[in-house]
C-alpha cells in the first residue's frame, strides 16, 4: 500500500494540468498547493482521506470530471477562488 500522496503539486506550481491519471491507495490521491492548477479526468481509487485535496495555499484551481471509487471523501477544497 501507499503511505503518502500519489501526486503532489507544491506551492510554487502555477498553471499546470493534472489529467488522465489513475491513482490508487494512500491517504490522498492528488494534493495541490499551487495556483491555477487544473485537475481533470483522473481516476482516484481507495484513498483513506481525500481523492483530491486543495490545501490552504492553493488558489484559482479547477477540479472537474474526476472519478472517485472507494475514497473516504472525494474533494477537500481549502484556499480561495476554486471552480
Amino acid at each position: 500500500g501507499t503511505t503518502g500522496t500519489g501526486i503532489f503539486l507544491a506551492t510554487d506550481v502555477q498553471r499546470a494540468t493534472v489529467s488522465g491519471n489513475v491513482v490508487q491507495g494512500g491517504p490522498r490521491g492528488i494534493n495541490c498547493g499551487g495556483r491555477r492548477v487544473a485537475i481533470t479526468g483522473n481516476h482516484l481509487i481507495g484513498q483513506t482521506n481525500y481523492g483530491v485535496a486543495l490545501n490552504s495555499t492553493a488558489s484559482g484551481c479547477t477540479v472537474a470530471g474526476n472519478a472517485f471509487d472507494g475514497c473516504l471523501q472525494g474533494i477537500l477544497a481549502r484556499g480561495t477562488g476554486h471552480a
Side-chain angles (χ1 to χ4, degrees):
T2 303
T3 58
T5 296
I7 298 171
F8 177 75
L9 297 124
T11 58
D12 60 346
V13 173
Q14 296 183 38
R15 299 181 189 265
T17 298
V18 179
S19 182
N21 298 286
V22 176
V23 182
Q24 187 167 0
R28 288 169 302 281
I30 300 171
N31 187 1
C32 178
R35 291 181 281 161
R36 297 184 183 157
V37 174
I39 300 171
T40 61
N42 299 287
H43 190 179
L44 296 303
I45 305 167
Q47 278 71 43
T48 56
N49 287 334
Y50 304 100
V52 175
L54 303 176
N55 60 39
S56 61
T57 61
S59 65
C61 298
T62 300
V63 179
N66 298 288
F68 301 91
D69 290 319
C71 300
L72 181 63
Q73 298 182 48
I75 301 168
L76 169 67
R78 295 182 181 151
T80 61
H82 307 302

